[in-house]
Amino acid sequence: GAVVSQHPSRVICKSGTSVKIECRSLDFQATTMFWYRQFPKKSLMLMATSNEGSKATYEQGVEKDKFLINHASLTLSTLTVTSAHPEDSSFYICSAGQTLHGYTFGSGTRLTVV
Amino acid sequence: ELKVEQNPLFLSMQEGKNYTIYCNYSTTSDRLYWYRQDPGKSLESLFVLLSNGAVKQEGRLMASLDTKARLSTLHITAAVHDLSATYFCAVVTGNQFYFGTGTSLTVIP
């Protein structure tokens, strides 16, 4: 089945620094990947749709300059949290897949900004 | 914007009992997914339902879809402790996913 790898699984960074999260489709090509954010005991909130070779589409209220998305190849999308603040601490999850076969989620990244 | 509501939000049930989780959505959808999430983990795909009347079963879980009523159900039969987790439905139109609020299930021995 489709496998999506997300790295790192946990990261702690200082306020003001940037953090990059990678999402890779291991055994299939993904022209589209999705980035979600999840607060504790809450549902997933779609942040942006990452499109290979073009700009990401951001959901309303998501700062595109803060959450930089790059989808440079058919198997890799990255989310960079720039100038991180404690309120950016959250669980970030990517997903990729093919419409009729469902979407697979990455293992998630727990970001803690101190 | 498509809205997806799940109920109940929290469910505590005894082992061996049956229960149903409901997922209502507000507008026409292409397909519906059910996912399981364990604490601190990502989502695990359970079912994808593509058409009206679709029913899928895996072990003690059975999911169904009524597109006319805009309703999907996840039925739990003879619950066991291992089913304790949070369950999400997600409705898809085009490529857009809309997640339900989640149902936190605790199965008590």
Side-chain angles (χ1 to χ4, degrees):
Chain A
V3 179
V4 175
S5 171
Q6 190 173 339
H7 179 80
S9 57
R10 292 177 183 272
V11 58
I12 300 173
C13 70
K14 291 185 177 180
S15 288
T17 62
S18 296
V19 174
K20 180 184 284 188
I21 303 169
E22 293 187 349
C23 181
R24 294 180 186 272
S25 56
L26 296 186
D27 50 2
F28 66 99
Q29 293 182 334
T31 55
T32 303
M33 293 185 178
F34 303 91
W35 287 97
Y36 296 87
R37 182 174 183 175
Q38 187 180 32
F39 291 103
K41 299 190 185 298
K42 297 294 184 183
S43 188
L44 277 72
M45 179 189 78
L46 178 65
M47 298 175 66
T49 302
S50 173
N51 304 300
E52 187 269 336
S54 65
K55 291 182 179 180
T57 304
Y58 289 82
E59 294 300 300
Q60 192 171 9
V62 178
E63 297 177 62
K64 58 183 69 176
D65 293 332
K66 179 163 192 63
F67 299 101
L68 299 179
I69 290 172
N70 184 283
H71 195 151
S73 77
L74 287 170
T75 59
L76 174 65
S77 174
T78 60
L79 168 67
T80 301
V81 183
T82 63
S83 187
H85 289 103
E87 57 264 32
D88 298 325
S89 298
S90 193
F91 192 52
Y92 293 88
I93 308 175
C94 69
S95 76
Q98 298 164 6
T99 305
L100 292 182
H101 297 94
Y103 288 82
T104 302
F105 287 80
S107 53
T109 297
R110 173 77 58 196
L111 170 63
T112 304
V113 184
V114 298
Chain B
E1 180 184 318
L2 192 151
K3 292 185 187 292
V4 185
E5 293 183 349
Q6 273 180 250
N7 71 83
L9 296 181
F10 299 94
L11 175 59
S12 180
M13 57 189 297
Q14 285 189 310
E15 279 190 332
K17 297 294 187 182
N18 305 331
Y19 208 85
T20 300
I21 299 171
Y22 297 89
C23 173
N24 290 90
Y25 53 99
S26 60
T27 62
T28 303
S29 165
D30 297 337
R31 55 203 179 279
L32 187 142
Y33 297 87
W34 281 97
Y35 293 94
R36 168 183 173 144
Q37 185 178 36
D38 292 297
K41 303 291 185 182
S42 189
L43 276 71
E44 173 192 348
S45 179
L46 296 175
F47 302 107
V48 54
L49 302 168
L50 300 175
S51 60
N52 186 42
V55 176
K56 290 197 174 178
Q57 183 166 3
E58 181 74 32
R60 300 174 188 274
L61 300 178
M62 183 174 71
S64 67
L65 178 63
D66 181 344
T67 57
K68 294 179 181 177
R70 296 177 187 159
L71 170 69
S72 179
T73 61
L74 180 66
H75 187 73
I76 303 154
T77 303
V80 294
H81 180 68
D82 286 351
L83 290 179
S84 296
T86 299
Y87 293 85
F88 291 96
C89 63
V91 175
V92 181
T93 56
N95 260 346
Q96 290 273 36
F97 268 71
Y98 298 89
F99 279 87
T101 46
T103 297
S104 177
L105 170 65
T106 303
V107 180
I108 304 167

